Amino acid sequence: MAEDEVQSALHNLPGWSLQSAKLHREYKFADFAHAFGFMATAAVLIEKMNHHPEWSNVYNRVTVDLTTHDAGGITERDVKLAGVLEGLARPLIQER
């Protein structure tokens, strides 16, 4: 995706930013169980999409970075996955 397309997509992805040429988001949940539950639920959908994030979990936080390695940058697949993650996280997040 061109940089202007990425910036346009970010307008529809609250809390997401561009960091190190990747879509980036840090989620904060009430506790570890909610953070891990988010990751476990997301993993099933991610596997179906066959598009896997770079992510990590520390206690109640989940950090996500999205890029399409095969394409050498951000693609529509990353934007779509970011939207899926937002939909799953929205009812669980403590605050942004």
Side-chain angles (χ1 to χ4, degrees):
M1 292 178 73
E3 187 172 337
D4 62 329
E5 293 174 307
V6 173
Q7 292 300 326
S8 178
L10 285 171
H11 288 309
N12 297 317
L13 295 169
W16 288 83
S17 63
L18 186 61
Q19 285 190 14
S20 302
K22 299 174 185 179
L23 295 180
H24 175 84
R25 175 81 155 95
E26 183 178 291
Y27 292 103
K28 181 180 177 185
F29 299 93
D31 53 29
F32 175 77
H34 284 88
F36 191 82
F38 163 73
M39 292 179 81
T41 302
V44 175
L45 298 173
I46 288 166
E47 191 63 23
K48 286 180 183 177
M49 294 174 73
N50 193 29
H51 190 58
H52 304 91
E54 298 172 9
W55 61 357
S56 63
N57 164 243
V58 177
Y59 181 56
N60 67 337
R61 295 179 188 270
V62 176
T63 303
V64 182
D65 289 300
L66 301 176
T67 187
T68 303
H69 295 283
D70 294 348
I74 298 169
T75 67
E76 286 293 329
R77 295 179 76 197
D78 301 302
V79 173
K80 183 176 179 180
L81 180 52
V84 168
L85 295 175
E86 278 301 301
L88 290 174
R90 194 169 295 118
L92 301 172
I93 53 178
Q94 186 173 17
E95 54 181 70
R96 295 180 185 241

